[in-house]
Amino acid sequence: MSLDQENCYLCKESLRDPVSIPCGHIFCSICLKTYWDHADHTGTYICPECKVTYTKRPTPRRIGSSRQSTMQRNSEAFPPPPPSPDYNYAGPQDVGCDICIGKKHKAVKSCLMCLASYCDRHLKPHYESSTFKRHKLVDEIGHLDRQICPQHQKGLELFCRTDQMCICVLCTVKEHKGHDMVSAEQERADEQQRLGATQAEIQEKIHDRLKQMEELKQAVESLKSSAHRALQECEKMFNDMMRSIERMQQEMTKLISTNKRAALSNAEGHMERLSHEIADLKRRDSEITQLSRTEDHIHFIQSYHMLIAQTEAEELPTVSVNPYFTFGPVTKAVSEMKQHLNEFSNDELVKVAKTVNKMTFCELDDSKKRRSIKNDEAQQAQQAPAMYKSVPVQEPQHRDDFLKYACQLTLDPNTAYRQIYLSRGNRKAALKRDPQNYGDHSSRFDSLPQVLCVEPLFGGAYYWEVDWSGEGAALGITYKGIKRTGYADSCRIGYNRKSWSLFCSDASYSARHNKDQLDIPAPYSSRIGVFLDHVGGTLSFYAVGDTMSLIHRFKATFSEAVYVGLWVWYESAVTLIQL
């Protein structure tokens, strides 16, 4: 809603005592109150204009003095508010009474003789006066001019089968003279029979489709059961294989430990024997030393021959040692086994994948499939603007990957609406009732509860996260040139060509750009992750949790640097998270 609209969306009259709601749209205070009073019993409150849903009744914001600065031409006192809207009046989608003067009531019946539609009050003569006794009343229908012959201005009563069109009586004289003609009633009866056959065919198709649906449901349940069993069995087999590998590890550990103990025991035996032999040889060396010093020639001769004979008779074994002995061959063998196992498992996994991928669960016939794809594309083209079509972009899948592109942002006090309170080092924004002590600045939003960040984002990929709470908030990006004064759409983030935004309520989301708006029934999330690929031209919003759940993705061509922007409502707060 822009200021240029001037009229209330509900009553179609000039705005009286205007109020704004979290999504930014403006209505007469009494109109909005009456509209939402009717919704109290449902517990769900919907914006009459953009259909954003709230589970809690939002608190409207009165448009006060700040708005009057942009409406000097309406500075005179407002007249008293209008009475409560009468919902018996015809709306844009209703058929209006042709007799009502001024604002028309809803029509309840149409007369095929008068070619007019009537509300309850103006329909009474048709029931009470004999003049209208022969008139045929039907449920209200629009476009009654289609019931009149455009050439003769007479009621269409006949059907020309030659030209396949409805005609009046005068048409039979000249334009359709000699043609195959029947009464409209007769043609209706014949068409009714064909319609019955068509309906029977449709019902048969419905029956076939329901049967196929049931078969598909049963197959899906069977598929789920089969997948569950396969997962359990595969898990069991992989556990068995892991236990087998663990047993192999234990056997290898046992083999190395046993061989180590045997080698150490053998070496210790040799070392003990060598110690005894060394001690014995040292003893003999000492005896020889003492003998060489004796002065008794007879003792020397007798002892010499005994020592020499004993030494010559004894031969000591030699202990040979391999200084290069290692368990390297064992490590090498295990490494080769690991490589063989990896190659084998990869080959087997590829075989299994090929086998499974060849299996077809369900598919359409080729001709029907092609037709279905064309129909789906046509429906998508009609139902959604090009900007909302899904875009296949290469974005991170996990939060840790997104965090590689994390950027630190701060809110710019020079852009903040005067009632927005900034805290936490200019990273948190909340809308207060009282104005803050900000100085005058040309960059400030003077009428809308919005604030921009300081940092320009250009030529790369960026990721940031936002916590929000309360009745409603919007987060997005905008070019620096967005207008800062007034209530017009040119000032609102997401309502013009210079900005893109995601509006968050406690029940739904709404993606907005220029004149396009898309309601998104995604689950509530208090933390939103935003990924901007400035070069690739994508802006994506995610619900942050154990997994990153995509809420919406915009596709655009960004021609200049963009700035992160926030819209904050009463009793709401938005915080930029430090990552």
Side-chain angles (χ1 to χ4, degrees):
M1 215 295 287
S2 70
L3 186 62
D4 300 333
Q5 182 177 328
E6 297 274 340
N7 294 333
C8 172
Y9 183 83
L10 288 171
C11 69
K12 311 303 180 186
E13 302 284 349
S14 297
L15 282 165
R16 309 296 176 91
D17 190 18
V19 293
S20 177
I21 59 176
C23 58
H25 292 109
I26 301 174
F27 308 92
C28 297
S29 175
I30 186 64
C31 294
L32 183 65
K33 180 180 182 302
T34 304
Y35 183 83
W36 273 350
D37 284 346
H38 285 288
D40 276 341
H41 71 283
T42 66
T44 300
Y45 302 91
I46 301 174
C47 171
E49 186 166 350
C50 70
K51 308 306 179 186
V52 166
T53 304
Y54 307 92
T55 56
K56 179 182 175 183
R57 182 166 178 165
T59 304
R61 171 191 175 217
R62 290 193 176 276
I63 307 301
S65 58
S66 62
R67 184 173 192 238
Q68 291 174 0
S69 64
T70 65
M71 297 181 64
Q72 294 180 357
R73 63 184 181 276
N74 293 329
S75 58
E76 66 274 7
F78 286 127
S84 300
D86 186 348
Y87 290 100
N88 290 321
Y89 285 122
Q93 306 299 324
D94 299 319
V95 177
C97 175
D98 292 317
I99 309 301
C100 289
I101 298 174
K103 196 166 185 178
K104 297 180 178 296
H105 284 80
K106 294 179 183 177
V108 295
K109 292 289 184 180
S110 296
C111 177
L112 298 183
M113 294 290 289
C114 301
L115 294 178
S117 298
Y118 302 95
C119 64
D120 279 324
R121 183 164 64 91
H122 292 116
L123 184 64
K124 288 182 179 180
H126 275 74
Y127 291 128
E128 299 172 354
S129 173
S130 59
T131 304
F132 303 102
K133 187 175 182 180
R134 301 180 60 128
H135 287 204
K136 185 175 182 180
L137 295 175
V138 296
D139 290 338
E140 77 284 359
I141 55 175
H143 307 290
L144 284 172
D145 54 326
R146 297 178 183 175
Q147 305 285 330
I148 302 175
C149 174
Q151 185 172 357
H152 303 107
Q153 302 301 311
K154 295 289 185 180
L156 299 174
E157 302 175 3
L158 304 173
F159 182 79
C160 176
R161 289 179 172 175
T162 304
D163 294 331
Q164 290 293 299
M165 60 184 296
C166 294
I167 60 175
C168 69
V169 176
L170 295 180
C171 290
T172 63
V173 178
K174 186 176 180 182
E175 291 85 356
H176 298 270
K177 184 177 181 180
H179 289 188
D180 182 11
M181 294 174 288
V182 294
S183 66
E185 185 177 357
Q186 177 62 43
E187 182 64 18
R188 161 68 187 271
D190 295 344
E191 294 289 354
Q192 189 80 36
Q193 292 182 354
R194 286 192 286 272
L195 186 63
T198 301
Q199 186 177 18
E201 183 180 351
I202 291 174
Q203 290 175 351
E204 184 178 357
K205 290 180 179 179
I206 292 174
H207 180 268
D208 292 341
R209 283 291 183 265
L210 289 173
K211 182 179 179 182
Q212 293 175 21
M213 176 69 78
E214 187 61 32
E215 292 175 351
L216 187 57
K217 287 181 179 179
Q218 294 177 1
V220 167
E221 293 302 320
S222 176
L223 174 69
K224 291 179 180 178
S225 177
S226 175
H228 181 67
R229 287 196 306 272
L231 287 173
Q232 288 183 325
E233 293 173 1
C234 288
E235 183 178 3
K236 180 179 180 301
M237 287 186 283
F238 275 107
N239 287 336
D240 291 342
M241 285 190 285
M242 286 188 285
R243 284 193 292 269
S244 177
I245 292 175
E246 289 174 356
R247 284 196 298 271
M248 293 172 63
Q249 180 187 12
Q250 293 170 0
E251 290 295 330
M252 196 60 63
T253 302
K254 181 179 179 182
L255 175 65
I256 294 174
S257 299
T258 301
N259 279 274
K260 183 184 77 170
R261 286 196 299 271
L264 291 177
S265 177
N266 188 24
E268 288 171 356
H270 288 306
M271 291 172 67
E272 184 178 0
R273 185 158 59 85
L274 289 172
S275 296
H276 290 307
E277 290 174 353
I278 291 170
D280 186 53
L281 290 172
K282 285 181 177 180
R283 180 182 56 77
R284 292 181 191 178
D285 180 66
S286 177
E287 290 177 352
I288 290 174
T289 300
Q290 292 178 2
L291 182 61
S292 65
R293 295 173 181 173
T294 185
E295 296 178 354
D296 187 344
H297 303 304
I298 299 302
H299 174 67
F300 179 84
I301 293 171
Q302 290 176 344
S303 299
Y304 170 77
H305 288 291
M306 185 183 300
L307 287 172
I308 293 301
Q310 185 178 2
T311 301
E312 290 178 350
E314 184 179 16
E315 292 184 3
L316 296 178
T318 301
V319 178
S320 59
V321 179
N322 179 10
Y324 304 106
F325 179 84
T326 66
F327 283 95
V330 178
T331 305
K332 182 180 179 182
V334 174
S335 177
E336 291 176 352
M337 181 171 64
K338 174 189 172 185
Q339 183 177 355
H340 293 325
L341 184 61
N342 285 339
E343 292 175 354
F344 175 77
S345 61
N346 288 336
D347 291 342
E348 291 303 311
L349 187 60
V350 169
K351 291 180 182 178
V352 173
K354 286 182 178 179
T355 302
V356 173
N357 290 336
K358 287 180 180 178
M359 299 171 62
T360 302
F361 176 65
C362 63
E363 64 178 356
L364 296 173
D365 293 339
D366 288 342
S367 58
K368 295 180 180 179
K369 186 175 182 180
R370 286 193 295 269
R371 186 165 60 251
S372 175
I373 291 174
K374 291 181 180 179
N375 291 339
D376 291 345
E377 291 176 347
Q379 290 177 2
Q380 291 176 1
Q382 293 175 358
Q383 294 174 358
M387 56 168 285
Y388 293 129
K389 292 182 180 178
S390 59
V391 181
V393 296
Q394 294 296 326
E395 288 187 0
Q397 299 297 318
H398 306 285
R399 185 167 181 266
D400 290 342
D401 298 327
F402 279 102
L403 292 177
K404 297 176 183 178
Y405 302 95
C407 60
Q408 303 303 326
L409 301 170
T410 52
L411 298 170
D412 185 359
N414 291 330
T415 67
Y417 177 62
R418 291 189 181 277
Q419 290 177 234
I420 287 183
Y421 172 69
L422 300 182
S423 59
R424 296 190 185 179
N426 290 343
R427 290 186 295 105
K428 181 177 180 180
L431 188 64
K432 301 294 184 180
R433 298 289 177 180
D434 299 323
Q436 304 302 304
N437 189 24
Y438 295 133
D440 293 334
H441 201 282
S442 59
S443 298
R444 190 174 313 286
F445 291 99
D446 70 347
S447 302
L448 295 172
Q450 298 179 156
V451 59
L452 302 184
C453 286
V454 175
E455 298 80 5
L457 306 180
F458 180 79
Y462 305 88
Y463 177 74
W464 63 97
E465 291 181 356
V466 173
D467 276 346
W468 77 276
S469 61
E471 293 184 351
L475 29 146
I477 60 173
T478 179
Y479 293 145
K480 188 175 183 179
I482 189 171
K483 191 177 178 182
R484 311 300 172 97
T485 58
Y487 282 86
D489 288 348
S490 57
C491 307
R492 297 170 181 264
I493 299 176
Y495 283 78
N496 47 67
R497 295 181 180 179
K498 297 181 178 181
S499 59
W500 299 257
S501 73
L502 179 75
F503 177 78
C504 309
S505 75
D506 57 0
S508 65
Y509 301 94
S510 177
R512 298 168 175 176
H513 173 61
N514 201 15
K515 302 299 182 182
D516 298 317
Q517 175 176 311
L518 178 66
D519 296 328
I520 306 168
Y524 167 82
S525 176
S526 61
R527 177 166 291 192
I528 306 296
V530 189
F531 181 78
L532 168 67
D533 182 358
H534 192 276
V535 176
T538 59
L539 176 66
S540 305
F541 297 87
Y542 291 86
V544 178
D546 295 335
T547 58
M548 300 293 287
S549 177
L550 179 65
I551 299 174
H552 183 73
R553 178 182 293 122
F554 289 103
K555 179 66 178 176
T557 301
F558 301 117
S559 57
E560 58 182 275
V562 297
Y563 293 79
V564 175
L566 306 176
W567 159 290
V568 192
W569 192 246
Y570 287 124
E571 310 302 330
S572 302
V574 182
T575 304
L576 296 166
I577 305 301
Q578 282 189 319
L579 300 175

